[in-house]
Amino acid sequence: MKTPTTFEEQTECIVDFLLTDFLGIPSQVTHRNLTGEVETDSGEPCPFDVAIIAGRLRMLGDNFNREVEASARNIIRETIRGQAGAILQETVKSLSKGWCAQDSSLAYERAFLAVSVKLLEHVSRMAPQVARQVATSVTDMINGNGAIREFIQGQGGWVSMSESLALLDICY
């Protein structure tokens, strides 16, 4: 099997890991296996510790739980109508800007990642039947956003992101 080395493939690994965790599906990564042998939908293994990266992203999102539930309901409704991507992007952008306005020390890119993860978590709990569609939209949204991509790559990419998130004090 080909090792996912591109930003897009690594993002898919991380989002798939989060979705599996949120849906309560047993993961192939146990006891913080640092080889991170998680497979994506395409069957490709992830060569880095997605559990640590996903955990740090989850903790970031935990700091912003309040506003997300209503937005998740709207995303579920629009996903059922076939509009997951558009409403997800609009919601993430709006919530991220709002959170940055409330906390001037919060970088937009950090807020973007937090909102994305929390929305996926809420959708997974509230409507597991549409969670895969939303996860695909989250992956596409991260991969397609130049500023987010530059932020992640500026921290050394997903492979180095667990250390970078810790250094940036994302995990409180």
Side-chain angles (χ1 to χ4, degrees):
M1 281 186 235
K2 180 182 153 241
T3 300
T5 57
T6 67
F7 180 83
E8 290 81 3
E9 292 167 338
Q10 291 171 354
T11 302
E12 182 186 359
C13 287
I14 294 163
V15 174
D16 282 346
F17 181 89
L18 285 165
L19 178 62
T20 298
D21 185 47
F22 295 153
L23 291 174
I25 299 168
S27 173
Q28 294 174 348
V29 178
T30 57
H31 307 295
R32 290 180 52 161
N33 175 358
L34 295 180
T35 59
E37 290 299 320
V38 173
E39 290 188 359
T40 65
D41 283 343
S42 59
E44 301 295 324
C46 295
F48 52 96
D49 194 343
V50 295
I52 290 174
I53 296 168
R56 294 203 192 279
L57 288 171
R58 241 186 342 268
M59 283 190 249
L60 171 62
D62 287 345
N63 293 314
F64 303 103
N65 247 341
R66 291 182 218 127
E67 302 170 56
V68 176
E69 192 168 324
S71 296
R73 282 192 194 100
N74 190 34
I75 289 170
I76 291 165
R77 200 170 30 255
E78 293 303 315
T79 299
I80 291 169
R81 294 181 186 152
Q83 301 297 318
I87 193 67
L88 179 67
Q89 286 185 349
E90 180 182 308
T91 302
V92 169
K93 182 178 180 181
S94 174
L95 286 175
S96 297
K97 285 182 176 182
W99 292 353
C100 288
Q102 292 174 15
D103 180 356
S104 62
S105 69
L106 179 64
Y108 175 80
E109 295 82 4
R110 290 172 60 189
F112 180 98
L113 291 169
V115 169
S116 299
V117 170
K118 290 314 290 182
L119 285 171
L120 179 59
E121 180 179 16
H122 280 278
V123 168
S124 297
R125 289 184 183 152
M126 296 165 73
Q129 69 278 11
V130 300
R132 170 57 53 201
Q133 290 172 272
V134 174
T136 298
S137 294
V138 168
T139 300
D140 292 344
M141 185 176 62
I142 291 170
N143 287 336
N145 185 310
I148 300 305
R149 181 185 194 111
E150 287 177 23
F151 172 75
I152 293 166
Q153 290 177 329
Q155 306 306 312
W158 285 119
V159 174
S160 300
M161 197 65 176
S162 62
E163 293 87 11
S164 299
L165 289 172
L167 291 173
L168 290 170
D169 196 28
I170 284 180
C171 300
Y172 301 103

